Amino acid sequence: QLQASGGGLVQAGGRLRLSCAASLPTFSRYTMGWFRQAPGKEREFVAAMRWSTGSTYYGDSVKGRFTISRDNAKNTVYLQMNSLKPEDTAVYYCAADLHGSSRYEATSNYQYWGQGTLVTVSS
């Protein structure tokens, strides 16, 4: 129900755009989130958007470099990643919280997860 794509290999300083196509029944109440998990590390909050209001939230490590956006017609959320750093290397997951919890950074609040897409940033 969530299909993530757009990962790949990029040099430091480069950019990538991830996409997450969602087929979910009641989209207007969702919070859509992006998380990432590097080898040996816990899954980390990257960005989130409340679908009904368009409000956006970012993890401290990506503020000013990453932008979450949406396409209503396509039921798709994007993560534009600029000024990439080697430490951004991870598997990136999109997720959906049907209830719109206020704790958008908590993985436990998301009921649906995409399969993950690998982003590798070389130095």
Side-chain angles (χ1 to χ4, degrees), residues 57-75:
Y57 311 91
Y58 296 94
D60 289 340
S61 62
V62 307
K63 281 180 182 176
R65 300 187 298 123
F66 291 11
T67 303
I68 188 171
S69 63
R70 66 185 176 185
D71 184 325
N72 290 349
K74 296 181 179 180
N75 279 355

Side-chain angles (χ1 to χ4, degrees), residues 32-96:
M32 296 297 295
W34 285 99
F35 292 79
R36 66 187 183 186
Q37 189 165 20
K41 295 188 177 182
E42 293 188 352
R43 196 163 293 190
E44 174 191 18
F45 169 71
V46 174
M49 170 181 280
R50 297 202 189 282
W51 202 265
S52 58
T53 64
S55 298
T56 57
Y57 311 91
Y58 296 94
D60 289 340
S61 62
V62 307
K63 281 180 182 176
R65 300 187 298 123
F66 291 11
T67 303
I68 188 171
S69 63
R70 66 185 176 185
D71 184 325
N72 290 349
K74 296 181 179 180
N75 279 355
T76 298
V77 64
Y78 303 97
L79 185 69
Q80 178 66 49
M81 306 185 294
N82 297 333
S83 302
L84 283 162
K85 305 175 182 180
E87 51 263 43
D88 294 317
T89 295
V91 176
Y92 284 71
Y93 298 90
C94 61

Side-chain angles (χ1 to χ4, degrees), residues 96-111:
D97 169 16
L98 279 65
H99 308 299
S101 169
S102 60
R103 294 193 59 222
Y104 48 81
E105 75 283 3
T107 58
S108 59
N109 285 332
Y110 290 81
Q111 299 82 42

Side-chain angles (χ1 to χ4, degrees), residues 1-3 20-25 27 32 75 96 111-114:
Q1 290 174 311
L2 295 177
Q3 185 70 36
C20 178
S23 14
L24 294 166
F27 215 49
M32 296 297 295
N75 279 355
Q111 299 82 42
Y112 293 94
W113 291 84

Side-chain angles (χ1 to χ4, degrees), residues 6-29:
L9 173 64
V10 64
Q11 289 187 333
R15 58 178 62 183
L16 280 175
R17 189 178 79 158
L18 306 183
S19 301
C20 178
S23 14
L24 294 166
T26 310
F27 215 49
S28 61
R29 295 194 297 271

